[in-house]
Amino acid sequence: MNTPAAPRRDRGPVLIAPISSEQDVFALRRDAKTIAQAVGLEGRDQVRLATALSELGRDLLRPAAMTVIFTVRPQPAALEVLLRWNDDRVPSRESLTAVTRLLSQTRYEQATGTAAVTAPGGRIGIDFAIPETAARNLKMEQVRAALESGSPASAIDDLQAQTSDLIAALQEAHAQRDELERLNEELTETNAGVMALYAELTVEHKDVVERFSQEHELALTLQRTFLPATLPQIPGTEIAVRYLPAASTTEIGGDFYEAIETKQGLLLAVGDVVGHSLQAAVVMGELRHALRAYAAQDHPPHILLEHLDHLLGLHQPGWTATVCIVLIEPDNTRLHVANAGHLPPLLLTPGARPRYLQEHGPLLGLRRPQPPAVSHLISPGSQLLMVTDGLIETRDSNLFDRMELLSSAAEAGPEEPEALCTKLLDTFGTEPEDDIIVFVTRLNPPGAA
C-alpha cells in the first residue's frame, strides 16, 4: 500500500512506494499525478510523468518489490522521482526509449560498471523543475494532504484515468497534425524567390514536427498501458507476446491480448476493435477489462463472447470487434476455442503439420448468438499461435495465401515462444500498416521437465 512518508521540516521524500503488483502500478500512476499537480507542474507534465511511471512500473514489475521515491528539493526547486531495485531486472529498450522521448531528463543507471550505484540492481531518475511561482507558495503539508485524501485505485479507476489522458493527448496530437498540414501547404506554395519566408517556415515546420512526435509518442505509450502488465506463470506453460504499433498511421489502434489464470484453466484471448482512432483504443480498453471481470465468473469461452457482445452493443453501439478466446484445461491436454470473427489460432503439434482451428462465430457488436466452444486435444510440446491481422494482411495480397506463409514460417521457426515471436516479427512485421500482436504459448504437462 502506498503511504506518505512521515512529515519532515525539510522538503524530503513525500512518498516512498513499494511496487510489486499491478494494483501498485495503478496507485503509482494516481499518486504521481496527485504529487505533480500539488507541486505546481503543468497538466501536460503531470500526464507525462504519470504515463512514464506507469510504463516503467509495468515493464519492471516483478514479485520482488521495486521502490519509487518522490522527493521535493528546495534549491533549485524540483520534483525528483527515483525508481530503485536490487535484483537483475532491466527496463526493455522499448519502454526506456518511449519514456526518454516523453521525458528527456530521464536517467537510467545499471549497477554493473556504474560507480554511482553501489548496491546490486539499478535505478531510474526523473527530475522536474518546479515553476518559480509554485515553488514560492509550496507547502509540503498540502502535498501530503493531497496524497492522504486520495481513494484506492482500481482497474476501472485506472482505465478511466488513462482514457481521459489519452483523449487529451490525442486531441493535442491532432491539433499538431493539422498545424503540420497547414505548414506543409505553405511550404509547397513557397517558391525559390522567397527564400527568407521559406527559411522561417522551415524552422516553424521543424518545431511542429517535434511537438507532434512527442504527443504521438505519449498517445502510443498511454495505449500500451491498456494492455496486461504481466503474463501468468503456470507450470508446464510458456507464454510470449509481442505488440507492435503501426508504423505509418498517426492514429492508434484497438488490438489487445489477455492471459488470465482461472479455476477452469488458462484463458487466452486476442482481439481487434475494427478501426483506428482514439475511440477504438477506448473500446479496446473496455473490452479487455470486461473480459477479466467476466472470466472471474468461470463462464465458458462462448458465453464470455456473448457477454462482451452484449456489453459492446449496450455501451458502444455501432462498433464491432473480433475476439478469439482459448481456454486451456489445467493439465494442458485439451483446449476449447470460441472465435468471434478473428483470425483462427494455429496449433503446432510436434511431428504433425500445423493446423488452423477454424471454428468461427459472428463478430462482436452484431447481437448474434455465438456457437459453443469446440475442444481439441493437445500433445506435449505443442505451441499455440494467436495473431492479429496486421501481421499478415496487406492491401495487395490474398489473406489465405498469407495464412499459409505464416503456417510454414511458424513450422520452420524455433520452439521457444520468445524466439518464435521474434522470428515471425522479423519475417512479417517490417513497417506494418496495422497494429500487430503475436501471442505464442507452448504447452507441456505440469511438472514435465
Side-chain angles (χ1 to χ4, degrees):
M1 178 179 179
N2 297 351
T3 56
R8 304 169 41 150
R9 291 179 179 272
D10 64 314
R11 294 182 177 181
V14 293
L15 178 67
I16 301 175
I19 307 297
S20 59
S21 70
E22 191 167 5
Q23 183 66 27
D24 292 337
V25 177
F26 294 162
L28 174 64
R29 177 187 176 83
R30 177 203 60 189
D31 291 339
K33 288 191 70 175
T34 299
I35 294 173
Q37 182 180 28
V39 300
L41 297 187
E42 294 182 356
R44 180 185 298 182
D45 288 336
Q46 296 171 26
V47 172
R48 290 189 179 193
L49 177 60
T51 301
L53 292 178
S54 179
E55 173 74 12
L56 292 171
R58 290 158 40 83
D59 182 48
L60 293 165
L61 191 61
R62 304 288 190 279
M66 169 179 63
T67 303
V68 182
I69 304 171
F70 293 82
T71 304
V72 176
R73 296 200 311 260
Q75 294 294 334
L79 173 63
E80 178 185 85
V81 184
L82 179 65
L83 293 81
R84 189 170 60 194
W85 60 95
N86 295 322
D87 52 33
D88 60 357
R89 75 186 89 180
V90 295
S92 69
R93 179 180 299 178
E94 179 186 46
S95 290
L96 194 58
T97 299
V99 170
T100 303
R101 285 177 179 170
L102 290 178
L103 303 173
S104 59
Q105 64 270 43
T106 301
R107 310 177 314 279
Y108 168 49
E109 296 175 350
Q110 200 170 0
T112 303
T114 303
V117 182
T118 58
R123 63 184 185 182
I124 296 175
I126 304 173
D127 289 352
F128 268 104
I130 298 175
E132 184 178 346
T133 302
R136 286 199 300 266
N137 301 321
L138 182 60
K139 292 181 173 59
M140 298 310 299
E141 294 78 8
Q142 295 176 352
V143 179
R144 295 189 174 97
L147 281 171
E148 292 172 354
S149 65
S151 58
S154 68
I156 297 301
D157 294 333
D158 190 61
L159 174 61
Q160 292 173 342
Q162 291 174 60
T163 300
S164 176
D165 292 343
L166 189 58
I167 290 171
L170 262 293
Q171 287 174 339
E172 179 66 20
H174 288 178
Q176 300 295 345
R177 182 186 62 186
D178 293 342
E179 179 68 4
L180 184 59
E181 290 175 351
R182 182 190 68 78
L183 290 170
N184 276 328
E185 291 176 0
E186 293 187 30
L187 282 170
T188 302
E189 295 171 359
T190 302
N191 57 47
V194 197
M195 295 306 296
L197 176 60
Y198 180 85
E200 180 181 343
L201 286 173
T202 300
V203 172
E204 187 179 0
H205 178 273
K206 290 179 179 178
D207 180 62
V208 173
V209 169
E210 177 64 22
R211 281 183 284 142
F212 170 74
S213 176
Q214 292 175 355
E215 295 302 332
H216 189 229
E217 184 67 47
L218 174 58
L220 290 176
T221 306
L222 278 164
Q223 184 192 13
R224 281 200 300 273
T225 66
F226 282 111
L227 300 174
T230 58
L231 297 172
Q233 303 292 319
I234 301 174
T237 303
E238 299 173 66
I239 307 175
V241 66
R242 296 288 189 278
Y243 167 76
L244 186 66
S248 59
T249 181
T250 57
E251 294 286 2
I252 58 176
D255 290 19
F256 71 96
Y257 63 91
E258 187 58 271
I260 312 167
E261 189 173 7
T262 73
K263 294 179 182 178
Q264 296 181 329
L266 175 63
L267 191 75
L268 306 174
V270 171
D272 184 1
V273 176
V274 177
H276 281 83
S277 66
L278 164 64
Q279 189 61 27
V282 172
V283 173
M284 174 269 284
E286 291 181 355
L287 287 178
R288 186 217 150 200
H289 281 78
L291 176 60
R292 291 187 69 89
Y294 292 139
Q297 299 173 4
D298 296 324
H299 296 297
H302 68 286
I303 299 299
L304 290 175
L305 291 178
E306 291 187 345
H307 283 322
L308 294 178
D309 177 70
H310 176 74
L311 180 75
L312 192 60
L314 189 64
H315 295 289
Q316 301 291 349
W319 283 85
T320 57
T322 66
V323 178
C324 180
I325 295 178
V326 176
L327 177 66
I328 300 170
E329 294 184 3
D331 59 2
N332 287 350
T333 60
R334 184 184 299 270
L335 60 78
H336 307 266
V337 181
N339 193 344
H342 198 77
L343 286 176
L346 180 67
L347 184 62
L348 298 146
T349 302
R353 290 283 297 165
R355 61 189 177 100
Y356 284 103
L357 309 181
Q358 297 283 1
E359 293 76 29
H360 262 283
L363 276 68
L364 301 185
L366 301 182
R367 295 295 190 98
R368 296 179 58 191
Q370 295 288 332
V374 178
S375 63
H376 299 269
L377 293 175
I378 309 171
S379 299
S382 294
Q383 290 178 302
L384 185 71
L385 171 63
M386 305 170 74
V387 303
T388 53
D389 56 12
L391 181 68
I392 58 173
E393 193 173 51
T394 60
R395 298 174 185 176
D396 56 355
S397 64
N398 181 282
L399 179 59
F400 293 102
D401 291 342
R402 297 285 288 177
M403 288 174 63
E404 285 304 310
L405 287 175
L406 175 63
S407 176
S408 298
E411 182 180 21
E415 294 182 357
E416 292 75 17
E418 292 285 351
L420 181 55
C421 283
T422 300
K423 175 66 176 179
L424 294 179
L425 273 186
D426 290 344
T427 303
F428 296 94
T430 305
E431 294 296 316
E433 298 176 4
D434 196 359
D435 292 0
I436 291 175
I437 287 175
V438 181
F439 202 11
V440 178
T441 307
R442 181 162 65 174
L443 300 162
N444 281 294

